[in-house]
């Protein structure tokens, strides 16, 4: 654990009564001043991690550290953490000022200090002059900013955000992604954001933890996770993917769709069964005779910025292509891709083993 580490989970398990464990032996570290996202489907355990950090529940096993001190049994009100909930949990009978000031009044702070801190927090979230507005007069985006102002006014070291954008429409949701990221950079404190939306995670995060069935499947930067998924779940959950069965002939040579292709992967056994990932945007449509693969177009949808084309190769594999070129349903087209576009995944590989193999690429 380094000086930059603010939160550490050490083999943490959470189980309610005799039910299946919600979290299974989870370990990770959170560094100061970064934007982290816990990403995964409903019921995967991401909100449980947030609740454990906040102190709303205690682990069944393992240890949770905050600034190097074990906090397993420290009550929520004694932790330097504030939470922004999915429904914002604002008080409808209080105006904006009093909503933001609520925590400071609990601390019995002087009125002059409260006024100064609340006005500063409202300026920070671009709500200066909204002090006396009622909550019912605020839009969805404004309510979210009130909730964030209420969190930051207490000067926490960590802000936890439990799917705070899920109730917003698409345009406002996109705007708030930029605002949250900018706010985190200006504050310079740690944000831990929970979502099941992979686009939000990719757009906002310094680091992402991809979670499934109570375990962290993979952690890393958005680019690392998108370009180098560790397994089928991560590849399928982060963006859209073509995942094809294959065989690793030798280093830098993989077979799929009944053909051998050059790739950039190594460290596999000869003729090891693998899964191959190629992103839809990495496939280029060309003449059939010029393509590395020949596929028949089964369907096509226009998505605004590209066409989404579904095709099948001669081996029966389904391919999804994102292209600005239009295709015709029923025609045969060629697909080209570079060796760098091919990502090979080993069955049952742990994240530690995966990281060691990636490090060997530079060796």
């Amino acid at each position: 654990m380094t000086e930059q580490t603010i939160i550490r989970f050490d083999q943490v398990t959470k189980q309610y009564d005799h039910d299946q464990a919600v979290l299974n032996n989870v370990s990770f570290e959170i560094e100061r001043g970064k934007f982290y996202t816990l990403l995964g489907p409903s019921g995967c355990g991401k909100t449980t991690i947030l609740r454990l950090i906040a102190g709303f529940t205690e682990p069944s096993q393992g240890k949770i550290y905050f600034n190097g001190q074990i906090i397993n049994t420290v009550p929520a009100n004694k932790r330097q953490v504030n939470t922004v909930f999915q429904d914002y949990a604002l008080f409808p009978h209080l105006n904006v000022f009093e909503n933001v000031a609520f925590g400071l009044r609990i601390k019995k702070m002087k009125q002059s200090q409260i006024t100064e801190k609340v006005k500063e927090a409202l300026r920070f979230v671009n709500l200066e002059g909204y002090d006396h507005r009622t909550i019912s007069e605020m839009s969805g985006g404004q309510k979210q900013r009130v909730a964030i102002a209420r969190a930051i006014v207490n000067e926490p070291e960590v802000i936890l955000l439990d799917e705070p954008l899920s109730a917003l429409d698409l345009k406002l949701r996109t705007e708030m992604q930029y605002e949250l990221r900018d706010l985190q950079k200006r504050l310079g404190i740690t944000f831990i954001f929970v979502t099941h939306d992979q686009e939000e995670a990719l757009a906002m995060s310094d680091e992402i933890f991809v979670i499934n069935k109570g375990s962290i499947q993979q952690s890393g930067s958005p680019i690392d996770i998108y370009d180098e998924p560790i397994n089928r779940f991560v590849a399928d959950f982060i963006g859209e993917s073509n995942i094809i069965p294959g065989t690793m002939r030798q280093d830098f040579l993989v077979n799929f769709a009944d053909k051998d292709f050059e790739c950039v992967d190594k460290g596999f056994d000869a003729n090891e069964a693998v899964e191959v990932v190629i992103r839809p945007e990495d496939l280029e449509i060309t003449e059939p005779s010029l393509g590395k693969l020949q596929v028949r177009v089964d369907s096509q949808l226009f998505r605004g910025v590209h066409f989404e084309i579904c095709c099948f190769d001669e081996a029966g594999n389904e391919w999804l292509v994102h292209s600005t070129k239009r295709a015709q349903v029923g025609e045969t087209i060629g697909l080209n891709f570079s060796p760098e576009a091919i990502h090979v995944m080993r069955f049952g590989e742990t994240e530690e083993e995966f990281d060691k193999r990636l490090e060997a690429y530079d060796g």
Side-chain angles (χ1 to χ4, degrees):
M1 186 166 63
T2 67
E3 291 183 3
Q4 282 298 104
T5 301
I6 188 168
I7 295 170
R8 180 163 71 94
F9 273 44
D10 183 13
Q11 297 182 325
V12 172
T13 293
K14 179 61 183 178
Q15 185 171 8
Y16 294 97
D17 299 327
H18 300 292
D19 294 341
Q20 184 177 351
V22 182
L23 289 181
N24 297 297
N25 200 33
V26 169
S27 298
F28 62 83
E29 293 187 359
I30 298 288
E31 293 185 359
R32 301 178 192 280
K34 288 186 176 182
F35 196 117
Y36 288 86
T37 296
L38 309 180
L39 175 68
S42 297
C44 71
K46 56 188 185 294
T47 296
T48 299
I49 291 176
L50 221 63
R51 289 175 57 80
L52 287 165
I53 294 172
F56 299 146
T57 189
E58 296 180 11
S60 304
Q61 296 177 22
K63 297 176 181 177
I64 301 173
Y65 294 84
F66 194 98
N67 284 331
Q69 302 296 316
I70 297 174
I71 59 167
N72 287 33
T73 59
V74 174
N77 65 334
K78 300 294 185 182
R79 302 189 184 194
Q80 286 297 306
V81 172
N82 271 81
T83 305
V84 178
F85 298 96
Q86 185 174 353
D87 61 359
Y88 311 137
L90 300 174
F91 301 111
H93 63 288
L94 300 179
N95 63 21
V96 169
F97 184 97
E98 291 301 330
N99 264 279
V100 177
F102 184 80
L104 303 180
R105 294 202 186 283
I106 294 293
K107 295 178 180 179
K108 302 187 184 310
M109 193 173 285
K110 292 181 180 179
Q111 181 60 44
S112 59
Q113 290 178 298
I114 291 175
T115 300
E116 180 182 352
K117 285 183 174 294
V118 170
K119 287 187 177 295
E120 182 182 4
L122 290 176
R123 278 197 302 271
F124 226 99
V125 297
N126 297 318
L127 286 178
E128 192 172 9
Y130 285 76
D131 311 44
H132 302 295
R133 289 277 187 97
T134 64
I135 295 303
S136 62
E137 294 175 317
M138 307 294 280
S139 68
Q142 290 170 335
K143 288 178 182 177
Q144 187 199 56
R145 290 201 288 269
V146 173
I148 293 170
R150 186 176 61 183
I152 66 175
V153 78
N154 290 297
E155 300 179 358
E157 293 193 59
V158 177
I159 290 183
L160 310 175
L161 302 108
D162 189 5
E163 302 204 51
L165 307 183
S166 61
L168 306 180
D169 62 62
L170 180 59
K171 185 175 184 297
L172 182 56
R173 190 170 185 157
T174 303
E175 291 174 359
M176 291 307 299
Q177 289 174 13
Y178 284 103
E179 287 198 22
L180 272 180
R181 188 65 175 118
D182 179 65
L183 179 64
Q184 187 272 328
K185 288 181 177 179
R186 284 188 285 135
L187 285 170
I189 62 177
T190 306
F191 275 35
I192 304 177
F193 183 88
V194 163
T195 185
H196 59 269
D197 187 316
Q198 50 92 10
E199 290 186 3
E200 280 184 358
L202 292 173
M204 301 169 67
S205 312
D206 291 313
E207 292 198 33
I208 299 172
F209 294 152
V210 184
I211 305 170
N212 188 38
K213 297 180 179 178
S215 298
I216 295 176
Q217 299 291 303
Q218 187 173 358
S219 61
S221 72
I223 292 174
D224 288 343
I225 288 179
Y226 187 84
D227 288 344
E228 302 287 349
I230 191 173
N231 57 32
R232 173 178 282 267
F233 175 82
V234 176
D236 205 33
F237 199 80
I238 300 285
E240 294 183 278
S241 301
N242 295 293
I243 306 176
I244 309 297
T247 302
M248 200 68 186
R249 297 296 192 202
Q250 60 189 42
D251 285 351
F252 312 118
L253 187 68
V254 64
N255 178 279
F256 58 90
D258 295 335
K259 295 181 181 181
D260 289 341
F261 299 96
E262 291 183 7
C263 65
V264 296
D265 293 276
K266 66 178 182 178
F268 295 85
D269 298 330
N271 295 315
E272 180 179 347
V274 294
E275 290 185 297
V276 174
V277 177
I278 302 181
R279 297 291 186 179
E281 65 271 19
D282 290 333
L283 294 169
E284 179 188 358
I285 295 177
T286 186
E287 295 293 327
S289 60
L290 301 177
K292 293 181 178 180
L293 286 175
Q294 289 72 43
V295 296
R296 188 172 181 82
V297 178
D298 184 69
S299 64
Q300 178 177 259
L301 294 174
F302 181 56
R303 294 295 189 186
V305 295
H306 64 257
F307 291 96
E308 185 175 275
I309 305 163
C310 180
C311 345
F312 289 87
D313 63 30
E314 295 175 352
N317 298 305
E318 182 178 1
W319 292 89
L320 185 66
V321 182
H322 290 171
S323 175
T324 55
K325 294 182 180 179
R326 182 193 295 268
Q328 297 295 325
V329 173
E331 75 170 326
T332 297
I333 59 175
L335 296 180
N336 271 334
F337 44 88
S338 68
E340 290 77 15
I342 300 171
H343 172 62
V344 181
M345 300 187 302
R346 168 176 269 158
F347 290 100
E349 190 168 45
T350 66
E351 186 170 19
E352 183 178 1
E353 293 167 339
F354 176 77
D355 289 340
K356 286 181 179 178
R357 186 161 57 79
L358 287 188
E359 289 171 5
Y361 290 177
D362 299 325

